[in-house]
Structure formats: structure tokens, C-alpha cells
Amino acid sequence: MSRTPSIGNHQKGSDRMSNIKHGNDLDLAGFMTGWDKRLGENVQLPVGFAVIALTNFGERPVPSELLAEVLGRPVSEVEALAQAPCGSDCTSSAPVEDGFVRVEDGLITYINPDRAKSAPRRWLQIGHSRFGMIGCAFDVFLYAPLVRPSLQVEETCPATGTPIRIEFTPGGVETAGPASAVLPIPPPLDFDGLERTPPKEVDETVCAQCPFYSSAEAAVGWLAAHPGGRVFPVREAWDLSFHRIWRDRMAAQLNLGR
């Protein structure tokens, strides 16, 4: 496996910055395998992101029967999973309204997430539609390949105040400004248990601390606070093996042409 830029969070000064070019391949392999396993085994994720794809982020409702067909699950099951605010096994109570999906009369509607009580930390634009969005920065790499015709992301680096603008097409990162912008990804173990937590709690406790950063240097504080986490330039993040496997699997299920 080729070396992927990252910053170790146990180093200081020039030693820490030099590790941008010299990541630990053994640690990186475990990181990749861990995320591939979690994305592949999670029951809730394919349902939620299939809804995003089939509705094109809320442009139109999708029949429950179509969602069930593409996922190979019973209609009643996909309706329950799509509407559940935190998957099928919440550890804390949460009303359905805390979720982003409404099921009614055999149709599933993605509710525009800018209705969420917490302020959006990024703006998305799909065609002429522009709306606020919460969630983790690494979520973007799960839904960007699934929407059409392209997805533009605007965010402000919390460390430097630098505006970040990234445009995705189904085939990759079209533009990224600044070119040094990075995606922080926490260690795979941090994902365990999140499917049993309401979205609002996930956003407040995890995603609010996982924004885009304008550069690897700007993300040093994030790495210090997230042992085992890594940052990747946005173009390289697109080509990470677990992202590639995820989008290929979802594209095949949803019959999405590139």
C-alpha cells in the first residue's frame, strides 16, 4: 500500500509535521480495514444514504417499494429503518421528528436538514438548490457520489477562518479550494455505537468536532484531540479504499451511472 499523507497525533513540532509525508503503513492498513468493516456491516447507513440518492437530497419523494427493491429488504423493514431516528436499537429515546425522513402513504420523503435545531456548519448546493447541512465532514464523501448532477460544499475552517469550497461530481473531486483542504476522519472505534444514538446527539457530540480544515497544519489541534484519527487531502480522501468500496456497492445497488 502506498503511503498516504497523515499527521501523527503523538508528535510535536517538526517531527509531527514531517509525518505528513511519512505515514505509518501498518497503522494505515488497520485504519482502512476498520472503516471498511464498519461501513460494510452497518445496517442503517445503506438505508439512509439510499434515501438521499433516490430523492436526490429531498428533491422528490421515493416510493417505499422502490427503496425496498434496491436494498433487497421488505417494505415494512425499510420504512421502519428509514424513519427510525437512530436505527433499530436506540440507547436513548428520540422522537421520529428528530430524524430526517418522513414515511407517509407509501412514500419516503427526505426532510431538508436545515430544519434541524442546531445551526448548519456547511452549505450544500445541488443544481439551483442550496441548503444548510449539519453532520460530519466525512459524511460528505458517502453521499457526494450519490447525488446528481454535482454537489458543491461551502464551509469555513474553524482554525483559520479560511473559506473552503469543494465541488464533487459522481466521478470525483472536481475542484477544491484551497487545494490544501483536508478531511479529518476519526479512528474506526469512534464509530461503534453511533447507530444507536439519535442524529442530534451524534451531531452535537461527534460531528461538530469533525469539520473540514483548510490544511493539515490547521488540523493539528483536531489530531491532538482525536488519538488514532487521521487527516487526508480531499482529493486523496476520495480514493481511500473504504470510500471506493462504499460508492461502488451503493452505485451497483441503486443502478447509478457514473
Side-chain angles (χ1 to χ4, degrees):
M1 181 179 295
S2 60
R3 296 185 184 276
T4 302
S6 62
I7 305 178
N9 43 57
H10 60 283
Q11 299 169 299
K12 296 182 179 180
S14 60
D15 286 343
R16 173 160 46 190
M17 300 314 299
S18 68
N19 200 38
I20 295 175
K21 296 183 179 179
H22 301 286
N24 185 310
D25 282 354
L26 291 177
D27 289 347
L28 181 58
F31 185 91
M32 299 291 189
T33 300
W35 271 112
D36 184 39
K37 175 180 173 65
R38 284 157 179 81
L39 292 179
E41 295 181 353
N42 186 278
V43 174
Q44 185 74 11
L45 284 178
V47 179
F49 285 98
V51 171
I52 288 176
L54 294 172
T55 66
N56 211 38
F57 241 124
E59 285 184 0
R60 55 186 177 268
V62 58
S64 301
E65 290 184 351
L66 177 57
L67 181 62
E69 179 183 344
V70 299
L71 293 176
R73 294 176 176 272
V75 170
S76 59
E77 184 178 341
V78 297
E79 285 186 342
L81 285 171
Q83 192 169 216
C86 53
S88 58
D89 184 22
C90 295
T91 56
S92 58
S93 60
V96 169
E97 289 75 15
D98 278 358
F100 293 145
V101 171
R102 181 176 63 246
V103 180
E104 189 175 26
D105 298 329
L107 292 176
I108 298 176
T109 303
Y110 187 87
I111 303 170
N112 198 330
D114 64 1
R115 296 179 185 176
K117 295 179 181 178
S118 54
R121 64 185 52 89
R122 66 184 54 90
W123 290 91
L124 305 184
Q125 183 157 343
I126 303 171
H128 297 295
S129 178
R130 178 180 169 87
F131 52 92
M133 185 62 179
I134 58 175
C136 305
F138 52 86
D139 291 344
V140 177
F141 285 76
L142 302 183
Y143 57 68
L146 309 180
V147 299
R148 302 294 187 271
S150 63
L151 175 73
Q152 296 180 51
V153 178
E154 296 180 12
E155 190 166 341
T156 300
C157 174
T160 65
T162 303
I164 299 170
R165 294 180 176 85
I166 307 168
E167 182 176 1
F168 298 86
T169 65
V173 177
E174 191 74 8
T175 61
S180 57
V182 297
L183 172 72
I185 305 180
L189 285 174
D190 285 9
F191 185 76
D192 296 344
L194 291 185
E195 66 176 325
R196 297 182 297 278
T197 305
K200 187 172 183 293
E201 291 183 23
V202 173
D203 189 69
E204 291 175 348
T205 60
V206 179
C207 291
Q209 283 76 50
C210 291
F212 286 99
Y213 285 90
S214 58
S215 67
E217 289 79 3
V220 166
W222 180 89
L223 282 162
H226 295 82
R230 287 177 174 266
V231 298
F232 301 89
V234 293
R235 292 185 184 277
E236 294 186 18
W238 178 271
D239 289 322
L240 293 175
S241 59
F242 54 85
H243 282 159
R244 185 169 59 251
I245 292 169
W246 161 268
R247 63 176 177 263
D248 287 348
R249 182 172 63 245
M250 292 299 294
Q253 282 188 307
L254 297 165
N255 195 26
L256 297 175
R258 291 297 178 87

